[in-house]
Structure formats: structure tokens, C-alpha cells
PDB file of all heavy atoms in Angstrom:
ATOM      1  N   LEU A 745     102.704  82.066 109.175  1.00 98.00           N
ATOM      2  CA  LEU A 745     101.513  81.866 108.346  1.00 98.00           C
ATOM      3  C   LEU A 745     101.469  82.896 107.218  1.00 98.00           C
ATOM      4  O   LEU A 745     101.191  82.557 106.060  1.00 98.00           O
ATOM      5  CB  LEU A 745     100.260  81.958 109.217  1.00 98.00           C
ATOM      6  CG  LEU A 745      98.919  81.822 108.501  1.00 98.00           C
ATOM      7  CD1 LEU A 745      98.828  80.508 107.738  1.00 98.00           C
ATOM      8  CD2 LEU A 745      97.773  81.934 109.512  1.00 98.00           C
ATOM      9  N   ALA A 746     101.757  84.149 107.534  1.00 98.00           N
ATOM     10  CA  ALA A 746     101.797  85.185 106.490  1.00 98.00           C
ATOM     11  C   ALA A 746     102.869  84.869 105.456  1.00 98.00           C
ATOM     12  O   ALA A 746     102.652  85.038 104.245  1.00 98.00           O
ATOM     13  CB  ALA A 746     102.033  86.547 107.122  1.00 98.00           C
ATOM     14  N   ASP A 747     104.045  84.402 105.916  1.00 98.00           N
ATOM     15  CA  ASP A 747     105.105  84.001 104.985  1.00 98.00           C
ATOM     16  C   ASP A 747     104.594  82.943 104.010  1.00 98.00           C
ATOM     17  O   ASP A 747     104.885  82.998 102.807  1.00 98.00           O
ATOM     18  CB  ASP A 747     106.306  83.427 105.743  1.00 98.00           C
ATOM     19  CG  ASP A 747     107.074  84.458 106.548  1.00 98.00           C
ATOM     20  OD1 ASP A 747     106.897  85.663 106.301  1.00 98.00           O
ATOM     21  OD2 ASP A 747     107.859  84.041 107.433  1.00 98.00           O
ATOM     22  N   ALA A 748     103.854  81.964 104.553  1.00 98.00           N
ATOM     23  CA  ALA A 748     103.365  80.863 103.724  1.00 98.00           C
ATOM     24  C   ALA A 748     102.273  81.311 102.760  1.00 98.00           C
ATOM     25  O   ALA A 748     102.058  80.674 101.723  1.00 98.00           O
ATOM     26  CB  ALA A 748     102.846  79.732 104.618  1.00 98.00           C
ATOM     27  N   MET A 749     101.580  82.394 103.081  1.00 98.00           N
ATOM     28  CA  MET A 749     100.547  82.910 102.184  1.00 98.00           C
ATOM     29  C   MET A 749     101.136  83.605 100.968  1.00 98.00           C
ATOM     30  O   MET A 749     100.502  83.627  99.898  1.00 98.00           O
ATOM     31  CB  MET A 749      99.645  83.890 102.938  1.00 98.00           C
ATOM     32  CG  MET A 749      98.734  83.265 103.970  1.00 98.00           C
ATOM     33  SD  MET A 749      97.800  84.540 104.904  1.00 98.00           S
ATOM     34  CE  MET A 749      96.748  85.224 103.595  1.00 98.00           C
ATOM     35  N   VAL A 750     102.311  84.185 101.109  1.00 98.00           N
ATOM     36  CA  VAL A 750     102.853  85.062 100.070  1.00 98.00           C
ATOM     37  C   VAL A 750     102.944  84.401  98.698  1.00 98.00           C
ATOM     38  O   VAL A 750     102.504  84.994  97.694  1.00 98.00           O
ATOM     39  CB  VAL A 750     104.209  85.646 100.513  1.00 98.00           C
ATOM     40  CG1 VAL A 750     104.954  86.275  99.347  1.00 98.00           C
ATOM     41  CG2 VAL A 750     104.001  86.668 101.628  1.00 98.00           C
ATOM     42  N   PRO A 751     103.497  83.181  98.563  1.00 97.00           N
ATOM     43  CA  PRO A 751     103.567  82.599  97.210  1.00 97.00           C
ATOM     44  C   PRO A 751     102.194  82.436  96.558  1.00 97.00           C
ATOM     45  O   PRO A 751     102.063  82.580  95.335  1.00 97.00           O
ATOM     46  CB  PRO A 751     104.234  81.233  97.444  1.00 97.00           C
ATOM     47  CG  PRO A 751     104.951  81.377  98.743  1.00 97.00           C
ATOM     48  CD  PRO A 751     104.128  82.295  99.566  1.00 97.00           C
ATOM     49  N   TYR A 752     101.169  82.155  97.358  1.00 98.00           N
ATOM     50  CA  TYR A 752      99.818  81.995  96.820  1.00 98.00           C
ATOM     51  C   TYR A 752      99.207  83.334  96.452  1.00 98.00           C
ATOM     52  O   TYR A 752      98.514  83.457  95.436  1.00 98.00           O
ATOM     53  CB  TYR A 752      98.937  81.254  97.830  1.00 98.00           C
ATOM     54  CG  TYR A 752      99.392  79.848  98.084  1.00 98.00           C
ATOM     55  CD1 TYR A 752     100.206  79.539  99.167  1.00 98.00           C
ATOM     56  CD2 TYR A 752      99.033  78.814  97.223  1.00 98.00           C
ATOM     57  CE1 TYR A 752     100.647  78.253  99.389  1.00 98.00           C
ATOM     58  CE2 TYR A 752      99.460  77.519  97.432  1.00 98.00           C
ATOM     59  CZ  TYR A 752     100.277  77.244  98.520  1.00 98.00           C
ATOM     60  OH  TYR A 752     100.718  75.968  98.732  1.00 98.00           O
ATOM     61  N   LEU A 753      99.445  84.349  97.272  1.00 98.00           N
ATOM     62  CA  LEU A 753      98.983  85.686  96.912  1.00 98.00           C
ATOM     63  C   LEU A 753      99.578  86.119  95.577  1.00 98.00           C
ATOM     64  O   LEU A 753      98.873  86.629  94.696  1.00 98.00           O
ATOM     65  CB  LEU A 753      99.362  86.684  98.010  1.00 98.00           C
ATOM     66  CG  LEU A 753      98.662  86.537  99.359  1.00 98.00           C
ATOM     67  CD1 LEU A 753      99.313  87.451 100.394  1.00 98.00           C
ATOM     68  CD2 LEU A 753      97.175  86.844  99.246  1.00 98.00           C
ATOM     69  N   VAL A 754     100.880  85.901  95.427  1.00 96.00           N
ATOM     70  CA  VAL A 754     101.576  86.321  94.205  1.00 96.00           C
ATOM     71  C   VAL A 754     101.057  85.550  92.994  1.00 96.00           C
ATOM     72  O   VAL A 754     100.773  86.132  91.942  1.00 96.00           O
ATOM     73  CB  VAL A 754     103.096  86.148  94.367  1.00 96.00           C
ATOM     74  CG1 VAL A 754     103.820  86.381  93.048  1.00 96.00           C
ATOM     75  CG2 VAL A 754     103.631  87.090  95.444  1.00 96.00           C
ATOM     76  N   SER A 755     100.914  84.231  93.134  1.00 96.00           N
ATOM     77  CA  SER A 755     100.470  83.420  91.993  1.00 96.00           C
ATOM     78  C   SER A 755      99.022  83.715  91.613  1.00 96.00           C
ATOM     79  O   SER A 755      98.640  83.548  90.447  1.00 96.00           O
ATOM     80  CB  SER A 755     100.644  81.929  92.288  1.00 96.00           C
ATOM     81  OG  SER A 755      99.795  81.508  93.339  1.00 96.00           O
ATOM     82  N   CYS A 756      98.227  84.152  92.585  1.00 97.00           N
ATOM     83  CA  CYS A 756      96.822  84.455  92.313  1.00 97.00           C
ATOM     84  C   CYS A 756      96.595  85.906  91.909  1.00 97.00           C
ATOM     85  O   CYS A 756      95.459  86.322  91.677  1.00 97.00           O
ATOM     86  CB  CYS A 756      95.978  84.120  93.546  1.00 97.00           C
ATOM     87  SG  CYS A 756      95.899  82.346  93.910  1.00 97.00           S
ATOM     88  N   GLY A 757      97.666  86.695  91.846  1.00 95.00           N
ATOM     89  CA  GLY A 757      97.548  88.068  91.385  1.00 95.00           C
ATOM     90  C   GLY A 757      97.016  89.034  92.431  1.00 95.00           C
ATOM     91  O   GLY A 757      96.506  90.099  92.080  1.00 95.00           O
ATOM     92  N   ILE A 758      97.133  88.671  93.705  1.00 97.00           N
ATOM     93  CA  ILE A 758      96.691  89.555  94.788  1.00 97.00           C
ATOM     94  C   ILE A 758      97.916  90.253  95.362  1.00 97.00           C
ATOM     95  O   ILE A 758      98.813  89.611  95.903  1.00 97.00           O
ATOM     96  CB  ILE A 758      95.964  88.754  95.889  1.00 97.00           C
ATOM     97  CG1 ILE A 758      94.729  88.066  95.311  1.00 97.00           C
ATOM     98  CG2 ILE A 758      95.569  89.682  97.045  1.00 97.00           C
ATOM     99  CD1 ILE A 758      94.028  87.122  96.291  1.00 97.00           C
ATOM    100  N   GLN A 759      97.949  91.566  95.232  1.00 96.00           N
ATOM    101  CA  GLN A 759      99.057  92.328  95.778  1.00 96.00           C
ATOM    102  C   GLN A 759      98.833  92.550  97.276  1.00 96.00           C
ATOM    103  O   GLN A 759      97.708  92.484  97.764  1.00 96.00           O
ATOM    104  CB  GLN A 759      99.174  93.665  95.051  1.00 96.00           C
ATOM    105  CG  GLN A 759      99.425  93.516  93.551  1.00 96.00           C
ATOM    106  CD  GLN A 759      99.503  94.868  92.878  1.00 96.00           C
ATOM    107  OE1 GLN A 759     100.508  95.564  92.931  1.00 96.00           O
ATOM    108  NE2 GLN A 759      98.416  95.256  92.216  1.00 96.00           N
ATOM    109  N   TYR A 760      99.912  92.811  97.975  1.00 97.00           N
ATOM    110  CA  TYR A 760      99.786  92.984  99.420  1.00 97.00           C
ATOM    111  C   TYR A 760     100.840  93.945  99.941  1.00 97.00           C
ATOM    112  O   TYR A 760     101.914  94.115  99.360  1.00 97.00           O
ATOM    113  CB  TYR A 760      99.928  91.628 100.135  1.00 97.00           C
ATOM    114  CG  TYR A 760     101.319  91.061 100.064  1.00 97.00           C
ATOM    115  CD1 TYR A 760     102.239  91.265 101.092  1.00 97.00           C
ATOM    116  CD2 TYR A 760     101.743  90.336  98.942  1.00 97.00           C
ATOM    117  CE1 TYR A 760     103.530  90.769 101.004  1.00 97.00           C
ATOM    118  CE2 TYR A 760     103.025  89.828  98.850  1.00 97.00           C
ATOM    119  CZ  TYR A 760     103.915  90.044  99.890  1.00 97.00           C
ATOM    120  OH  TYR A 760     105.197  89.566  99.798  1.00 97.00           O
ATOM    121  N   VAL A 761     100.502  94.575 101.042  1.00 98.00           N
ATOM    122  CA  VAL A 761     101.451  95.287 101.891  1.00 98.00           C
ATOM    123  C   VAL A 761     101.307  94.677 103.266  1.00 98.00           C
ATOM    124  O   VAL A 761     100.202  94.354 103.706  1.00 98.00           O
ATOM    125  CB  VAL A 761     101.168  96.806 101.919  1.00 98.00           C
ATOM    126  CG1 VAL A 761     102.008  97.496 102.987  1.00 98.00           C
ATOM    127  CG2 VAL A 761     101.431  97.415 100.549  1.00 98.00           C
ATOM    128  N   ARG A 762     102.419  94.515 103.949  1.00 98.00           N
ATOM    129  CA  ARG A 762     102.417  93.751 105.200  1.00 98.00           C
ATOM    130  C   ARG A 762     103.074  94.546 106.313  1.00 98.00           C
ATOM    131  O   ARG A 762     104.037  95.284 106.089  1.00 98.00           O
ATOM    132  CB  ARG A 762     103.175  92.447 104.946  1.00 98.00           C
ATOM    133  CG  ARG A 762     103.334  91.536 106.131  1.00 98.00           C
ATOM    134  CD  ARG A 762     103.995  90.255 105.661  1.00 98.00           C
ATOM    135  NE  ARG A 762     104.501  89.449 106.748  1.00 98.00           N
ATOM    136  CZ  ARG A 762     105.112  88.290 106.607  1.00 98.00           C
ATOM    137  NH1 ARG A 762     105.293  87.804 105.379  1.00 98.00           N
ATOM    138  NH2 ARG A 762     105.553  87.614 107.643  1.00 98.00           N
ATOM    139  N   ASN A 763     102.529  94.419 107.514  1.00 98.00           N
ATOM    140  CA  ASN A 763     103.171  95.065 108.660  1.00 98.00           C
ATOM    141  C   ASN A 763     104.471  94.345 109.011  1.00 98.00           C
ATOM    142  O   ASN A 763     104.844  93.354 108.379  1.00 98.00           O
ATOM    143  CB  ASN A 763     102.218  95.130 109.855  1.00 98.00           C
ATOM    144  CG  ASN A 763     101.931  93.764 110.466  1.00 98.00           C
ATOM    145  OD1 ASN A 763     102.420  92.740 110.003  1.00 98.00           O
ATOM    146  ND2 ASN A 763     101.116  93.752 111.507  1.00 98.00           N
ATOM    147  N   THR A 764     105.166  94.816 110.033  1.00 97.00           N
ATOM    148  CA  THR A 764     106.407  94.200 110.486  1.00 97.00           C
ATOM    149  C   THR A 764     106.294  93.898 111.972  1.00 97.00           C
ATOM    150  O   THR A 764     105.512  94.532 112.691  1.00 97.00           O
ATOM    151  CB  THR A 764     107.611  95.125 110.230  1.00 97.00           C
ATOM    152  OG1 THR A 764     107.391  96.373 110.904  1.00 97.00           O
ATOM    153  CG2 THR A 764     107.787  95.383 108.739  1.00 97.00           C
ATOM    154  N   PRO A 765     107.071  92.936 112.465  1.00 96.00           N
ATOM    155  CA  PRO A 765     106.940  92.535 113.864  1.00 96.00           C
ATOM    156  C   PRO A 765     107.210  93.639 114.881  1.00 96.00           C
ATOM    157  O   PRO A 765     106.734  93.557 116.020  1.00 96.00           O
ATOM    158  CB  PRO A 765     107.970  91.399 114.006  1.00 96.00           C
ATOM    159  CG  PRO A 765     108.088  90.830 112.634  1.00 96.00           C
ATOM    160  CD  PRO A 765     107.957  92.010 111.716  1.00 96.00           C
ATOM    161  N   ASP A 766     107.953  94.668 114.506  1.00 96.00           N
ATOM    162  CA  ASP A 766     108.236  95.752 115.443  1.00 96.00           C
ATOM    163  C   ASP A 766     107.086  96.751 115.542  1.00 96.00           C
ATOM    164  O   ASP A 766     107.127  97.674 116.358  1.00 96.00           O
ATOM    165  CB  ASP A 766     109.522  96.482 115.045  1.00 96.00           C
ATOM    166  CG  ASP A 766     109.427  97.112 113.664  1.00 96.00           C
ATOM    167  OD1 ASP A 766     108.875  96.459 112.758  1.00 96.00           O
ATOM    168  OD2 ASP A 766     109.893  98.242 113.506  1.00 96.00           O
ATOM    169  N   MET A 767     106.045  96.556 114.750  1.00 98.00           N
ATOM    170  CA  MET A 767     104.884  97.437 114.803  1.00 98.00           C
ATOM    171  C   MET A 767     103.893  96.951 115.861  1.00 98.00           C
ATOM    172  O   MET A 767     104.104  95.942 116.526  1.00 98.00           O
ATOM    173  CB  MET A 767     104.223  97.505 113.418  1.00 98.00           C
ATOM    174  CG  MET A 767     105.098  98.132 112.347  1.00 98.00           C
ATOM    175  SD  MET A 767     104.441  98.001 110.669  1.00 98.00           S
ATOM    176  CE  MET A 767     103.024  99.095 110.776  1.00 98.00           C
ATOM    177  N   THR A 768     102.806  97.674 116.003  1.00 97.00           N
ATOM    178  CA  THR A 768     101.700  97.296 116.879  1.00 97.00           C
ATOM    179  C   THR A 768     100.435  97.234 116.037  1.00 97.00           C
ATOM    180  O   THR A 768     100.425  97.652 114.864  1.00 97.00           O
ATOM    181  CB  THR A 768     101.497  98.322 118.002  1.00 97.00           C
ATOM    182  OG1 THR A 768     101.121  99.577 117.401  1.00 97.00           O
ATOM    183  CG2 THR A 768     102.773  98.495 118.828  1.00 97.00           C
ATOM    184  N   ALA A 769      99.345  96.762 116.629  1.00 97.00           N
ATOM    185  CA  ALA A 769      98.073  96.789 115.912  1.00 97.00           C
ATOM    186  C   ALA A 769      97.707  98.222 115.543  1.00 97.00           C
ATOM    187  O   ALA A 769      97.256  98.488 114.422  1.00 97.00           O
ATOM    188  CB  ALA A 769      96.977  96.151 116.764  1.00 97.00           C
ATOM    189  N   ALA A 770      97.940  99.149 116.467  1.00 97.00           N
ATOM    190  CA  ALA A 770      97.593 100.546 116.211  1.00 97.00           C
ATOM    191  C   ALA A 770      98.401 101.133 115.062  1.00 97.00           C
ATOM    192  O   ALA A 770      97.853 101.820 114.186  1.00 97.00           O
ATOM    193  CB  ALA A 770      97.799 101.381 117.473  1.00 97.00           C
ATOM    194  N   SER A 771      99.707 100.874 115.048  1.00 98.00           N
ATOM    195  CA  SER A 771     100.525 101.418 113.957  1.00 98.00           C
ATOM    196  C   SER A 771     100.233 100.706 112.639  1.00 98.00           C
ATOM    197  O   SER A 771     100.360 101.312 111.568  1.00 98.00           O
ATOM    198  CB  SER A 771     102.014 101.344 114.305  1.00 98.00           C
ATOM    199  OG  SER A 771     102.443 100.005 114.474  1.00 98.00           O
ATOM    200  N   SER A 772      99.826  99.450 112.695  1.00 98.00           N
ATOM    201  CA  SER A 772      99.425  98.746 111.473  1.00 98.00           C
ATOM    202  C   SER A 772      98.187  99.397 110.871  1.00 98.00           C
ATOM    203  O   SER A 772      98.106  99.621 109.658  1.00 98.00           O
ATOM    204  CB  SER A 772      99.147  97.270 111.776  1.00 98.00           C
ATOM    205  OG  SER A 772     100.294  96.612 112.264  1.00 98.00           O
ATOM    206  N   ILE A 773      97.222  99.716 111.729  1.00 98.00           N
ATOM    207  CA  ILE A 773      96.006 100.376 111.258  1.00 98.00           C
ATOM    208  C   ILE A 773      96.338 101.735 110.653  1.00 98.00           C
ATOM    209  O   ILE A 773      95.826 102.098 109.587  1.00 98.00           O
ATOM    210  CB  ILE A 773      94.994 100.518 112.411  1.00 98.00           C
ATOM    211  CG1 ILE A 773      94.539  99.143 112.893  1.00 98.00           C
ATOM    212  CG2 ILE A 773      93.787 101.352 111.968  1.00 98.00           C
ATOM    213  CD1 ILE A 773      93.851  99.172 114.246  1.00 98.00           C
ATOM    214  N   ARG A 774      97.202 102.486 111.337  1.00 98.00           N
ATOM    215  CA  ARG A 774      97.572 103.803 110.827  1.00 98.00           C
ATOM    216  C   ARG A 774      98.255 103.692 109.473  1.00 98.00           C
ATOM    217  O   ARG A 774      97.978 104.485 108.558  1.00 98.00           O
ATOM    218  CB  ARG A 774      98.495 104.528 111.819  1.00 98.00           C
ATOM    219  CG  ARG A 774      97.787 105.051 113.048  1.00 98.00           C
ATOM    220  CD  ARG A 774      98.656 106.050 113.782  1.00 98.00           C
ATOM    221  NE  ARG A 774      99.919 105.475 114.239  1.00 98.00           N
ATOM    222  CZ  ARG A 774     100.079 104.883 115.415  1.00 98.00           C
ATOM    223  NH1 ARG A 774      99.051 104.761 116.256  1.00 98.00           N
ATOM    224  NH2 ARG A 774     101.260 104.397 115.761  1.00 98.00           N
ATOM    225  N   GLN A 775      99.162 102.733 109.334  1.00 98.00           N
ATOM    226  CA  GLN A 775      99.851 102.554 108.054  1.00 98.00           C
ATOM    227  C   GLN A 775      98.853 102.201 106.958  1.00 98.00           C
ATOM    228  O   GLN A 775      98.916 102.735 105.844  1.00 98.00           O
ATOM    229  CB  GLN A 775     100.917 101.472 108.162  1.00 98.00           C
ATOM    230  CG  GLN A 775     101.719 101.288 106.880  1.00 98.00           C
ATOM    231  CD  GLN A 775     102.725 100.155 106.966  1.00 98.00           C
ATOM    232  OE1 GLN A 775     102.351  99.006 107.110  1.00 98.00           O
ATOM    233  NE2 GLN A 775     104.004 100.498 106.901  1.00 98.00           N
ATOM    234  N   ALA A 776      97.937 101.297 107.260  1.00 98.00           N
ATOM    235  CA  ALA A 776      96.945 100.908 106.264  1.00 98.00           C
ATOM    236  C   ALA A 776      96.064 102.088 105.874  1.00 98.00           C
ATOM    237  O   ALA A 776      95.825 102.348 104.686  1.00 98.00           O
ATOM    238  CB  ALA A 776      96.089  99.760 106.797  1.00 98.00           C
TER     239      ALA A 776
END
């Protein structure tokens, strides 16, 4: 689902940073 969002984010001018599958919710929060 996140993969499918990316082209729309890019075309709409919304930048993003994304976690990776080897992370956890906790490490995602820390990174953010």
C-alpha cells in the first residue's frame, strides 16, 4: 500500500520519509 502511495505523493508535491520492514514501531517513532 505504501508503495502504491508513492507516485501520488510525488505528483502531489508531498515529500516523505519511510520506515523499512526490518524496523519496529518503536524504532520508526524514534527515527521520525
Side-chain angles (χ1 to χ4, degrees):
L745 178 57
D747 291 343
M749 290 175 66
V750 166
Y752 296 96
L753 292 171
V754 172
S755 66
C756 293
I758 299 174
Q759 300 179 79
Y760 69 95
V761 170
R762 178 175 165 180
N763 69 359
T764 58
D766 61 319
M767 296 171 69
T768 64
S771 63
S772 299
I773 296 164
R774 286 195 299 271
Q775 183 183 64

